[in-house]
Amino acid sequence: MSIRDPAALRRLEGLGWFARQPHAQRQALLQAGQIRALADGIWAHGEGDEETGLLAVLEGSLRTFARAPGGRTALIGLLPPGSIIGQSAVFGGGPRLVTAISAGESLVFVLSDRALRAVAIDHPALWQDLSQLIYRQLEVMVRTLAERTALSPRALLANRLLMLSRAGPDIDVGQAELAEMIGVSRKTLNVRLAELAGRGLVRPGYGRITVLDRPGLQRIAVAGDAEADLAPGLPPVA
């Protein structure tokens, strides 16, 4: 459902990439886009959609999925408030790369390729700014791949919790979902999460994890297995 929400637009003005745009260009983008209220399970867009553009999460969160070999659909991420993703056919790309589905009720801001083209008529520098956003997405993807290769499950978990709690301490995510996102078994996730909870860094709940100590998680994300004193007595899990 498309709505007009002046308060949401004001929040959007201060959001990441949008906040860095020149004032006139930012206002043109806000006028050209749409705010959509999504119920739980509603698709924001699907992998393979020809219509591209930008999407910003204002409230709630979106799960992102991609097709994997064998016809399997893999959960690859959770977009908390403040996240901005997207692409444009102007740069020679193809259809949407991921499916984004609302996790609970959410509020998103959508800028279609058509809207971007219209804004760029009066603000041609928009394309350079958009290329910086796309580069940032590529940078995050490469760093995530490097982390999956180099970090221990404990450090992977700490790092992902830091990413998901940027907008606030409460993360609406199930433990099975979190395990899938970081590529570990549910058993491994449960043990590592219990370690963090035992140290007072997080508080697990039903469908939610609350981050209590970001600096503590940052130390673990950096130190990895060097934090050998973490929750002594718990069995090592690969």
Side-chain angles (χ1 to χ4, degrees), residues 8 16 23 37 48 58 69 91 105 110 157 167 177 198 200 203 217 223-224 231:
H23 177 75
L58 302 176
F91 295 100
E105 295 184 349
V110 179
L157 174 59
E177 292 177 320
R203 182 173 62 243
L217 288 179

Side-chain angles (χ1 to χ4, degrees), residues 90-234:
V90 171
F91 295 100
R96 293 279 189 183
L97 297 173
V98 300
T99 296
I101 302 177
S102 185
E105 295 184 349
S106 63
L107 199 65
V108 300
F109 179 77
V110 179
L111 267 168
S112 67
D113 241 358
R114 182 179 300 177
L116 290 170
R117 291 174 188 268
V119 172
I121 293 174
D122 294 324
H123 304 278
L126 172 63
W127 297 125
Q128 181 177 349
D129 295 330
L130 186 58
S131 70
Q132 293 172 355
L133 175 63
I134 295 172
Y135 176 83
R136 171 62 178 161
Q137 293 177 126
L138 179 61
E139 180 184 30
V140 170
M141 182 184 71
V142 171
R143 189 174 68 241
T144 300
L145 288 172
E147 290 167 353
R148 289 280 292 267
T149 302
L151 296 184
S152 67
R154 177 191 300 145
L156 274 172
L157 174 59
N159 193 66
R160 185 56 65 100
L161 291 174
L162 287 168
M163 290 178 61
L164 295 177
S165 62
R166 287 175 302 180
D170 294 323
I171 308 168
D172 291 324
V173 63
Q175 294 183 25
E177 292 177 320
L178 188 55
E180 184 173 1
M181 279 190 279
I182 66 174
V184 301
S185 69
R186 174 69 182 271
K187 177 183 177 182
T188 297
L189 188 283
N190 289 345
V191 171
R192 296 310 179 198
L193 193 60
E195 291 178 352
L196 300 182
R199 204 169 187 181
L201 304 181
V202 301
R203 182 173 62 243
Y206 182 74
R208 170 173 289 189
I209 299 170
T210 300
V211 172
L212 304 175
D213 185 351
R214 285 183 64 85
L217 288 179
Q218 288 167 344
R219 287 192 294 271
I220 292 170
V222 171
D225 284 333
E227 282 256 328
D229 62 336
L230 180 61
L234 284 174

